[in-house]
Amino acid sequence: MPFPLVILAALIFYVAHALVSASTDSDGTATYFVVIFIGFPAFIALCFWSSFATASAVRRGRTSIKRVGVFLGVVMLLSLSVAAVRWSFLHPKRMSYAFSYGQSGSWHEVQFRSIEGGKTVEGPWVGGYPLRVSFPDLNSDGHRDIRVRGSGRLTEYEYLPDSDGPSHWHLVRNEGFKVSYPPDGHYFP
């Protein structure tokens, strides 16, 4: 019965696609390579084989179209739930970030933004290569903070939830990246 292979192929392709589309890594070249040259051809081959095997199973009376639909519906629900969980870990509700790249490709930047009082506020900026972003709770206050890693370097910002002034982030550690956040006293031209 081909259904486990269909589910496996769909989930493998989905996981690879999720790594690319919701990546917190500024240098996702290896992930794109896996998706395009390994994941996608394997997915197409398994789906091609499975479509003939499924049609054959329906013709012989071993399964029904309804059962095939139920299995595909389960795959879709699993994919959407994995996407929602992954998105919530990589993109906190009150923060967003965007990567930008230098012309040589060896310089990456990430600009953070947060929503404070219903307005979007520019947050910290980090420059270097490569950049990998995560949002752990560094000081255990229940608010997600910022961590940027890459090539043995590390930068961490803590969120200031009760800030009365313009500064909503505080630089805790910087080991090698260029940083800029004027409200906290850090400038990079």
Side-chain angles (χ1 to χ4, degrees), residues 120-173:
T120 302
V121 176
E122 291 284 318
W125 171 93
V126 179
Y129 176 83
L131 304 174
R132 185 160 188 83
V133 176
S134 62
F135 300 97
D137 186 2
L138 298 173
N139 54 358
S140 303
D141 65 350
H143 297 281
R144 292 214 184 157
D145 303 309
I146 297 172
R147 177 179 288 153
V148 180
R149 292 182 180 200
S151 298
R153 295 177 276 177
L154 174 71
T155 294
E156 295 177 334
Y157 278 93
E158 286 182 350
Y159 177 65
L160 306 173
D162 300 322
S163 175
D164 291 335
S167 178
H168 299 285
W169 300 94
H170 176 67
L171 181 66
V172 177
R173 178 191 282 172

Side-chain angles (χ1 to χ4, degrees), residues 91-130:
H91 304 277
K93 289 180 183 177
R94 62 174 174 68
M95 280 190 279
S96 65
Y97 61 93
F99 290 111
S100 58
Y101 307 93
Q103 291 182 359
S104 67
S106 62
W107 179 259
H108 295 176
E109 302 170 351
V110 62
Q111 174 67 57
F112 295 93
R113 292 174 182 81
S114 63
I115 298 174
E116 306 295 337
K119 297 179 183 177
T120 302
V121 176
E122 291 284 318
W125 171 93
V126 179
Y129 176 83

Side-chain angles (χ1 to χ4, degrees), residues 51-70:
S51 66
F52 287 110
T54 302
S56 175
V58 169
R59 248 185 290 115
R60 292 180 185 168
R62 288 202 244 154
T63 191
S64 67
I65 294 293
K66 182 178 178 180
R67 188 170 182 196
V68 172
V70 168

